């Protein structure tokens, strides 16, 4: 006996990846439906070797469905997620809408899978921000060993984190630089993204931080440990898929880089690539389509008493979004719903 699963926002980048990963991981599906807005009604999407035609989200009845994976913006989620939840369908939401609600669990299965039982509070589980998800996967096993005091992270985030329009803008701007007369002015981003980096993701707050930076701080505390101090600088880079992070960690106890490497090699969801030679590290282009959170450049930081530096890379459409949502569904099924 399997699950009746709904993918909401099935025509977007993350929604398509959710369908791909459900099929790849052979999630026990008895029935699956792809939902989209009315303008995308009837659009065909793939689920394994099957083709699904999208149905209208606005008129869909969630009664009798087990799990809904939401990959739409916060405004639409605010309308449809409570509807699905009230009709008995457990919502796993990829937007930021519910992440900071104390009654709703924010889950990265490798880190805090036990919190999934709290879905019963509102029949909703939140999926974290893409940049947070991969970082806490790498931090958790190190925190268990030496207790993290402070994290300083600088991100290098791909344009797919913004969406299809941003991917098109990078592609078209890059072509336009080489073809006279085909130059493309910025529209998705405030400045040119091709051959450039932009230290601005989401809106600016009164503190001078951006909302993306704030998200990383608050979500790390909620998922991993409220005592950890976090400061972030989030930067958009001209990469299509794959987020990278330079992470500086200060621990309460001493942890040398060799033991840290051994710990990370055994950690769930982590793949260490660290040869300390030319090319002996991971870059975003190599992580595309992969499940793992990759860690490289593991080394001591001698400027603080118990410091370590690591380089963390992952496919933001997968571990940063769709994969994590499907992993949550797997934990929900095995620990709570128990149908598959």
């Amino acid at each position: 006996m399997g699950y009746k699963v709904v993918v909401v926002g099935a025509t977007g980048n993350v929604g398509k990846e959710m369908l791909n990963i459900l099929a790849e991981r052979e999630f026990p599906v008895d029935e699956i439906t792809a939902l989209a807005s009315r303008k995308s009604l009837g659009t065909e999407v793939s689920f394994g070797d099957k083709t699904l035609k999208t149905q209208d989200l606005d008129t869909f009845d969630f009664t009798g469905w087990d799990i809904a994976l939401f990959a739409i913006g916060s405004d639409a989620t605010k309308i449809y997620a409570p509807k699905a939840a009230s009709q008995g369908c457990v919502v796993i939401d990829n937007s930021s809408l519910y992440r900071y609600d104390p009654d709703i669990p924010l889950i990265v299965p490798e880190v805090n899978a036990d919190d999934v039982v709290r879905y019963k509070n509102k029949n909703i589980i939140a999926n974290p921000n893409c940049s947070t998800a991969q970082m806490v996967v790498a931090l958790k096993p190190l925190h268990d060993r030496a207790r993290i005091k402070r994290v300083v992270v600088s991100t290098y985030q791909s344009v797919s984190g913004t969406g299809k329009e941003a991917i098109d803008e990078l592609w078209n701007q890059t072509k336009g630089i080489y073809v006279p007369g085909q130059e493309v002015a910025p529209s998705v981003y405030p400045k040119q993204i091709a051959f450039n980096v932009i230290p601005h993701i989401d809106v600016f707050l009164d503190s001078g931080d951006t909302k993306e930076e704030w998200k990383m701080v608050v979500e790390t505390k909620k998922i991993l440990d409220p005592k950890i101090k976090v400061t972030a600088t989030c930067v958009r880079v001209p990469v299509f898929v794959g987020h990278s992070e330079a992470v500086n960690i200060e621990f309460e106890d001493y942890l040398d880089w060799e033991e840290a490497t051994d710990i990370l090699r055994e950690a769930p969801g982590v793949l260490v690539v660290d040869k300390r030679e030319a090319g002996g590290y991971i870059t975003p282009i190599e992580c595309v389509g992969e499940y793992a959170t990759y860690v490289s450049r593991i080394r001591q930081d001698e400027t603080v008493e118990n410091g370590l530096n690591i380089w963390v890379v992952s496919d933001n459409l997968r571990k940063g979004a769709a994969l994590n949502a499907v992993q949550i569904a797997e934990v929900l099924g095995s620990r709570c719903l128990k149908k598959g």
Side-chain angles (χ1 to χ4, degrees), residues 298-318:
I298 305 164
R299 62 205 189 277
Q300 228 69 45
D301 175 8
E302 303 291 355
T303 68
V304 292
E305 189 174 357
N306 300 315
L308 205 66
N309 288 303
I310 61 174
W311 173 250
V312 182
V313 182
S314 194
D315 182 330
N316 56 292
L317 298 177
R318 291 205 152 209

Side-chain angles (χ1 to χ4, degrees), residues 223-276:
I223 296 166
L224 188 56
D225 189 332
K227 296 177 183 176
I228 295 175
K229 295 179 180 179
V230 183
T231 183
T233 300
C234 295
V235 182
R236 193 71 70 186
V237 297
V239 170
F240 287 111
V241 178
H243 287 358
S244 305
E245 297 168 343
V247 187
N248 176 264
I249 313 162
E250 186 177 352
F251 297 92
E252 291 182 7
D253 302 321
Y254 182 75
L255 176 63
D256 71 54
W257 70 268
E258 290 174 304
E259 185 183 354
T261 301
D262 290 340
I263 289 168
L264 289 166
R265 287 192 193 282
E266 298 299 319
V270 175
L271 188 59
V272 174
V273 179
D274 195 12
K275 294 183 180 178
R276 296 193 165 191

Side-chain angles (χ1 to χ4, degrees), residues 169-188:
E169 182 156 300
L170 173 56
W171 174 250
N172 291 327
Q173 281 183 354
T174 303
K175 287 193 299 180
I177 286 169
Y178 290 102
V179 182
Q182 291 189 19
E183 296 85 355
V184 176
S187 60
V188 175

Side-chain angles (χ1 to χ4, degrees), residues 12-65:
N13 289 334
V14 174
K16 289 176 181 177
E17 280 298 295
M18 286 174 169
L19 288 165
N20 290 337
I21 293 168
L22 285 165
E24 286 172 15
R25 293 174 71 90
E26 298 181 344
F27 187 84
V29 170
D30 263 3
E31 190 175 346
I32 190 161
T33 292
L35 301 183
S37 63
R38 193 159 291 172
K39 67 179 182 182
S40 299
L41 190 63
T43 301
E44 293 186 344
V45 292
S46 296
F47 172 65
D49 57 2
K50 298 178 182 177
T51 300
L52 308 175
K53 283 193 174 182
T54 56
Q55 298 184 36
D56 184 10
L57 169 60
D58 197 43
T59 58
F60 188 77
D61 185 355
F62 289 89
T63 305
W65 293 83

